[in-house]
Amino acid sequence: MKKALILILLLGIILFSTLSAFAAETITVWAMGAEAKKIGAMVEKFEKAYPGLKVKVQAIPWSSAHDKLITAIAGGTVPDVAQMGTTWMAEFGSIGVFEDVSNYLKNSKVIKEDDFFEGSLNTNIVDGKLYGIPWYVDTRVLFYRTDLLAEVGYDHPPRTWEELEDVARKLAADGGYGLALSTNNYQEFMPFVWQNGGRILDENGEVAVTEPAFVEALEFYVKLFKEGLAPIDAQGTNLFQEFAAGRMPMYFSGPWMVNLTHEQVPEIDGKWSVALMPEKKSRTSFIGGCNLVIFKDSKHKEAAWKFIEFMTEAQNQVEWFKISGCLPANKWAWEDTYFNNLEMMQVFGEQLKDAKAPINIPQWAQIESFIQRRVQEACYGEKTPKEAAEALARDIEGVL
């Protein structure tokens, strides 16, 4: 009897061990905002490709994402993988909560470093370590009314700063404006700085916003408002209606505005297009988007990496674009024939080759607010561009 019980017990242990060996490994992924609602289709494809792996997606609203991350880090309840806004990488990366994925990428047979736009990949590097892989990107280009520009003699979008000013002046001559522009949006302002060769910090980490290239960019930006080419206060303005009415026939924005413009003002379909940023020394634009990171405390790092590889591989990036409209971070995805008929999207793909992210340091959130404050002061004439740049330098030096 005793032997029979021991035999049953052993069989039970063997059976349990066997079932455990075949049980699927589950990783938890935090996805934010609209992406969380759409990622299910990609998860389904992933689980089909990797039958031994399961993905549990937790949807996190963007409005509470930052606080949720802080709470999870403090409480040791982080997920295996998380979607991470590019401007949050330095803040969380600098406190050591992300896994350095350099070796994963180096040994990967699915993706490699050169697959990604340089500006996007750089958003993952904090203190010299690679803490994530670009998932999707966005950038800014020029939206413009083809018909109205043609009326003032431009059969092409402005290709230089000089042409931008010239065409804006001609468009504004009828009492409207040449373009819509923000006085307090660093994502619109910083491209002008980068296009002129300016920077926030120099190669030694010293504040560089009083260098001539930065000040000249600010002077040009301020001139657009001072001479009435852009509205000094456009708050409350319906950009779509102003664009359709021709009162603001040019503006800078991201890929989401393509569909929104078609939806909001379909009456001007065929009368507008998008173009690369106008050039000074370069045509550099802003690059943003989201990365995928693995948390250092994850107990499923290999499985988490397989998920990241899957989501960032070129063909799956095309699929993700079809599902979500999010632009591929993998350069090879743009070679897919699916993009051949998407002329406006091709412009974004071209712009991504010359796009830059803000400096990746934990103090960025403060620096961002300083830039917007000082640029606005210059636009409103409260400070000259040189005075605003000097004040900005003191602001930044105070937090570094």
Side-chain angles (χ1 to χ4, degrees):
M1 184 64 180
K2 188 176 179 182
K3 286 183 178 176
L5 286 173
I6 292 173
L7 183 60
I8 292 171
L9 183 61
L10 286 172
L11 288 171
I13 292 171
I14 292 169
L15 179 63
F16 177 77
S17 300
T18 304
L19 288 174
S20 296
F22 284 101
E25 183 179 5
T26 301
I27 60 170
T28 303
V29 175
W30 279 14
M32 322 300 187
E35 292 88 310
K37 297 174 184 172
K38 297 174 180 175
I39 197 173
M42 294 303 296
V43 166
E44 196 175 315
K45 291 175 186 289
F46 174 75
E47 291 178 341
K48 198 170 287 184
Y50 294 92
L53 300 178
K54 294 289 181 188
V55 178
K56 181 182 176 185
V57 176
Q58 187 170 344
I60 311 289
W62 275 114
S63 57
S64 60
H66 192 269
D67 289 346
K68 288 274 289 185
L69 285 165
I70 290 174
T71 302
I73 291 167
T77 56
V78 293
D80 298 296
V81 176
Q83 171 185 355
M84 195 63 49
T86 54
T87 55
W88 290 357
M89 291 297 297
E91 177 185 354
F92 291 111
S94 64
I95 58 175
V97 297
F98 298 151
E99 179 76 1
D100 183 345
V101 295
S102 301
N103 285 332
Y104 289 92
L105 182 59
K106 184 180 175 183
N107 297 321
S108 176
K109 292 183 170 58
V110 180
I111 55 174
K112 57 183 185 298
E113 183 176 326
D114 289 346
D115 289 345
F116 301 96
F117 294 105
E118 183 181 0
S120 179
L121 189 69
N122 285 344
T123 66
N124 291 276
I125 299 173
V126 180
D127 298 331
K129 295 181 179 178
L130 184 68
Y131 282 131
I133 299 296
W135 181 19
Y136 67 82
V137 291
D138 68 63
T139 188
R140 306 293 182 272
V141 300
L142 177 70
F143 288 67
Y144 69 103
R145 286 286 299 271
T146 52
D147 56 339
L148 299 182
L149 264 69
E151 288 178 11
V152 296
Y154 275 81
D155 61 359
H156 60 271
R159 292 174 291 211
T160 63
W161 281 18
E162 290 72 21
E163 286 191 352
L164 177 70
E165 181 181 346
D166 181 61
V167 72
R169 201 175 296 285
K170 288 173 177 171
L171 289 166
D174 65 357
Y177 297 100
L179 74 165
L181 206 60
S182 299
T183 59
N184 60 349
N185 184 341
Y186 82 91
Q187 295 176 3
E188 287 190 49
F189 169 67
M190 283 307 298
F192 285 89
V193 173
W194 294 324
Q195 288 158 19
N196 199 40
R199 52 192 177 169
I200 295 172
L201 302 180
D202 67 16
E203 57 276 4
N204 298 315
E206 299 295 325
V207 178
V209 299
T210 54
E211 290 181 345
F214 190 102
V215 177
E216 287 168 10
L218 182 53
E219 287 172 343
F220 180 76
Y221 200 79
V222 167
K223 183 166 71 170
L224 296 174
F225 294 98
K226 193 174 179 181
E227 300 192 4
L229 306 183
I232 190 69
D233 184 3
Q235 285 189 349
T237 299
N238 185 320
L239 179 60
F240 298 111
Q241 293 302 324
E242 296 299 319
F243 189 56
R247 287 188 291 271
M248 297 180 189
M250 297 190 291
Y251 65 91
F252 299 100
S253 194
W256 58 89
M257 289 297 279
V258 172
N259 285 339
L260 284 175
T261 303
H262 283 305
E263 291 168 6
Q264 295 291 320
V265 284
E267 65 271 23
I268 57 168
D269 277 357
K271 297 180 179 178
W272 61 276
S273 191
V274 297
L276 299 179
M277 301 293 276
E279 182 176 18
K280 187 62 174 173
K281 294 174 182 172
S282 74
R283 307 185 83 157
T284 310
S285 186
F286 168 86
I287 191 169
C290 276
N291 303 322
L292 291 173
V293 300
I294 299 173
F295 278 88
K296 190 171 276 185
D297 288 344
S298 167
K299 292 181 172 54
H300 308 280
K301 289 173 185 165
E302 291 295 334
W305 175 251
K306 286 189 187 307
F307 180 74
I308 290 179
E309 280 184 324
F310 181 86
M311 294 297 287
T312 58
E313 182 270 333
Q315 191 54 49
N316 288 328
Q317 290 261 287
V318 177
E319 294 302 312
W320 177 234
F321 173 78
K322 292 177 184 175
I323 293 168
S324 67
C326 295
L327 301 185
N330 189 317
K331 291 185 286 190
W332 301 113
W334 291 90
E335 302 295 324
D336 191 278
T337 54
Y338 181 75
F339 287 96
N340 287 354
N341 295 323
L342 301 178
E343 291 182 14
M344 291 192 187
M345 285 301 133
Q346 288 177 24
V347 174
F348 285 93
E350 188 63 25
Q351 184 66 69
L352 283 163
K353 297 174 184 173
D354 188 3
K356 199 168 182 176
I359 49 176
N360 216 12
I361 58 176
Q363 299 92 337
W364 171 249
Q366 293 165 282
I367 294 173
E368 170 190 324
S369 66
F370 294 150
I371 292 171
Q372 293 180 167
R373 175 186 172 190
R374 298 308 182 185
V375 169
Q376 189 166 50
E377 288 176 344
C379 291
Y380 275 85
E382 295 168 10
K383 285 183 170 60
T384 67
K386 185 170 182 294
E387 289 170 344
E390 290 169 347
L392 178 59
R394 291 192 293 274
D395 292 336
I396 298 173
E397 286 165 353
V399 298
L400 292 182

